[in-house]
Every structure is written in structure tokens, then in C-alpha cells.
Amino acid sequence: MAFIKEETADFRIEEVFSLKQEDLDEQTEFIEDKEDKEELSEVEDKNHVSKIKSGAKPKQKDLKKRRDNKYFTCTQCGKSFTCKPYLKRHMRVHTGEKPFTCDQCGKSFTHKPYLKRHMRVHTGEKPFTCDQCGKSFSRKYHLERHMRVHTGEKSFTCDQCGKRFSRKYHLERHMRVHTGKKSFTCDQCGKSFSRKPHLELHMRVHTGEKPFTCDQCGKSLKCKYSFDVHMRVHTGEKPFTCDQCGKSFTSKCGLERHMRIHTGEKPFACDQCGKRFSLTSSLKDHMNIHTGEKPYSCDQCGKTFLWATNLRTHLKVHTKEKPHSCYLCGKSFFITTKFEKPSENTYRCERVHVL
């Protein structure tokens, strides 16, 4: 490209910029969304200098002078730029101007490269392909991020617990565990959540929505994970196996609960008496001792109970069910407390028969 000599250095920079603007747009096309949030002028400044180098190759001291001296200053925020076109584009931050509009959906953008990148939503174009697995992406940054799956790179480390993550967003989300920050609040009951998907899932409690329906039994569930676990009831699949005893489970949390049998772990503690439990449900039932609450009510007579097992036993009074029989005399009972168990699956009346 022939360099056009003019009276001032400023005009020469503007001239080169105008001649190479299309190339500059191509250069900035693949800036990531989070990079978009940074000052665009800094990115453009680097690209612009590289274009001058590849074109007219001005003297190094002149180039340094242009870098050191920023002639064009924003009257709104005071930020300075090396050339007028950069200032002009920066002003769209303050004016809200979005001159580049998609003719498919009408969405507008502040810069031409952003519109060009957006058009891939409509065309389905994915020009960036992983050479490891062949998966394609519409943006270069997404490919670079995907490559961490193959390299195992985890560049983002929690300074609280040392846990590592492959994406900055995952680290930021993890930090809420330490800060206790819960930015997403239900407008129905006021309950707060650290993640938006958790709030969206919670809202189904209020709406009653159960979008996942089993085509085998017709049961509907609120979330995809519960639906996937439920389907294993029909398939018989139990993909989670205990490496201590070989017992298998339909869900990961089922295996984690089971492992506490082997480890003796009891992570749930009562804040009233300090007693510890391996399951949250056990802790919840235990708390009824302190509150005096009897949440399990008989729908036949209204009698209430502290424990669900007590209610189940009580219901046999109404059903007249006596499932436990003495193997010597055949007498039946509601419960097994009146029995001794001399061998597997056999019972005898503890006060009647003396052997």
C-alpha cells in the first residue's frame, strides 16, 4: 500500500486507517464477549499499529510519538485516543448508537465485526473446528475454550480452597460458595439462590410446571436430572457402583449417601444439641424433637406423629393389617417388637413360647 504523505502526522494516521478499515474489521471480528466489555479502543489501538507497520512502515520514533501522544479526547469520560475514528467509535458507548443492523432479525450493533459475527446465528456457519474431535464453533474464542477439554488446562484457581477451573465464569460461580452471595431471588416467596438455573427450577414449585414426562408410566417431573434418574427405573440401569461392596445405584447422590456407611461420615449436625446425621432427612426429622412439631398426620383419625415410621405403623390400626406372624403358633401382630428373631425371616412370640 502506498503511503500518502500529508502535512501532519495525525492526517497520515487517519488516511492509513481509512484505507485499511476493512482489514481492521476482520482483525477485531473474533473478540470474545467478555473482551467486548473491556475498552475496545485499547484492542483497536494495537490492531491499528500493526496495520501501519504492514503498510507504510513509518519511522519508529514517529510511531512511538503517536503512541505516547493521544490527541483525541472524549468530552464525556475523558478517555483519549490516538486517532479520530477511534474516538468516533468510542462515542457510541455514550450515545447508544448502533448503526449496524441485522436484516434477518433487526438486532443492532455498535460495530460492524459484531454484526458479521452475529450473522452466523442465522447462517449456521461454524468456521472454527477442533482438530482433536472435529467439533465446530461459530467463534474462535469458543474453540480456544473447548481445547481445554483436551489439554486439561485449568487456568483459574480459587484462592480460598485451591480448586481449579477451566473457565473464569466457573470460578466466579464457585466463589459464591465462600462469599454466600445469592443474587437470584424468588419474587413469590423471597428465597434466594446463587445461580439463575436454580431459581428457574425453584419457580416450578409455584407454577406447578413439570415439563419432563415419562413415556413409560406418564409420571411428570420438574427437572431433567430427576427425569433421567427416573428413567433408570424402567431400564434397570444402575451406573454408579460402590468400590467397597459392589452395590450399584441409579444416581450419583444415592452412591454418595451409601458411601457414608463405609466412611462413617455424618456431615449434618443439629445446631441445638450437636448430634450428627448422615442424611439431611434424618436431621430434619430429629429437629422435630426440639421444636415439638409432629408433621406426620393420619388422614383417618387426625392423630399426629413425630416420625414417618410411627405413622406407617399406626395406619395398620385402620387397615387391620398384621403382617408379622409367629412361626410357632401363627398369631399375627402389627409390629415385630413382640417377637424374637431366632433365625433369618422367622419370628416367635417372645413371651409365649420358651424353647
Side-chain angles (χ1 to χ4, degrees), residues 148 153-158 161-168 170-172 174-175:
R148 295 171 193 158
E153 180 190 357
K154 293 184 177 181
S155 306
F156 305 97
T157 305
C158 173
C161 64
K163 193 171 182 180
R164 299 177 67 85
F165 301 88
S166 59
R167 297 174 61 179
K168 187 178 180 181
H170 291 164
L171 171 60
E172 291 170 347
H174 163 78
M175 289 306 295

Side-chain angles (χ1 to χ4, degrees), residues 62-75:
D62 291 339
L63 189 58
K64 187 176 184 304
K65 184 178 178 181
R66 290 172 200 144
R67 283 174 175 166
D68 295 339
N69 295 285
K70 296 185 176 181
Y71 306 101
F72 302 94
T73 303
C74 173
T75 58

Side-chain angles (χ1 to χ4, degrees), residues 16 127 149 175 181 231 253 264:
V16 173
V149 174
M175 289 306 295
K181 183 180 179 183
M231 289 306 294
C253 60

Side-chain angles (χ1 to χ4, degrees), residues 258-274:
H258 165 80
M259 288 305 294
R260 294 171 193 153
I261 295 172
H262 301 296
T263 63
E265 181 189 7
K266 294 183 177 181
F268 308 103
C270 172
D271 58 6
Q272 301 291 320
C273 65

Side-chain angles (χ1 to χ4, degrees), residues 7-64:
E7 290 293 326
T8 66
D10 294 346
F11 191 83
R12 288 201 298 274
I13 295 175
E14 291 184 47
E15 186 69 21
V16 173
F17 182 90
S18 63
L19 291 173
K20 300 295 287 182
Q21 180 63 48
E22 289 300 318
D23 288 342
L24 179 59
D25 288 344
E26 291 295 326
Q27 285 285 328
T28 58
E29 180 180 352
F30 307 119
I31 300 172
E32 161 57 7
D33 280 340
K34 291 184 180 180
E35 292 174 345
D36 294 347
K37 294 177 184 177
E38 299 173 358
E39 291 297 345
L40 182 62
S41 61
E42 293 179 8
V43 178
E44 291 176 328
D45 215 349
K46 293 177 182 178
N47 290 332
H48 182 60
V49 168
S50 68
K51 292 302 174 184
I52 294 176
K53 285 182 177 179
S54 64
K57 297 183 180 179
K59 292 180 181 180
Q60 286 296 324
K61 69 175 185 178
D62 291 339
L63 189 58
K64 187 176 184 304

